[in-house]
Amino acid sequence: MRVLEWRPRARSDLMTIVEFIADDSPDAALKLLDDIEEQALNLIHHPKAFRVGRVPGTREMVVRSNYIVVYAEDEKVVSILRVLHAAQQWPPAERN
């Protein structure tokens, strides 16, 4: 059975989003946190249920149409790589 792994950057992304929302609505922030974490847990059983990612080797799960969970999976692990607002540029532009 696969395990779910939150990479530090993804956990930081999620906490930044939740803290931002909590400034206006703590209840909405907690609900979003619960929704994202619950849907991420489902990736253990259905990792291919979501679209192929824009970065090779990744997939993207859309949560509430405004948030994108970027993840990678293999036979043992589903790794949550990033949690982004849909308005953020992804993947980041290459620097010269």
Side-chain angles (χ1 to χ4, degrees), residues 29-40:
L30 288 175
K31 178 71 172 125
L32 177 63
L33 176 64
D34 289 345
D35 287 351
I36 290 174
E37 288 181 334
E38 183 178 319
Q39 289 188 41

Side-chain angles (χ1 to χ4, degrees), residues 33-82:
L33 176 64
D34 289 345
D35 287 351
I36 290 174
E37 288 181 334
E38 183 178 319
Q39 289 188 41
L41 278 173
N42 288 330
L43 294 173
I44 295 170
H45 303 291
H46 305 288
K48 297 204 184 309
F50 298 95
R51 69 185 185 204
V52 173
R54 289 166 274 185
V55 173
T58 68
R59 299 186 82 79
E60 297 177 4
M61 175 178 67
V62 177
V63 179
R64 293 193 190 174
S65 75
N66 289 328
Y67 302 96
I68 301 168
V69 176
V70 180
Y71 66 97
E73 51 95 14
D74 63 27
E75 60 278 344
K76 295 181 181 179
V77 179
V78 175
S79 296
I80 308 297
L81 306 173
R82 298 293 310 267

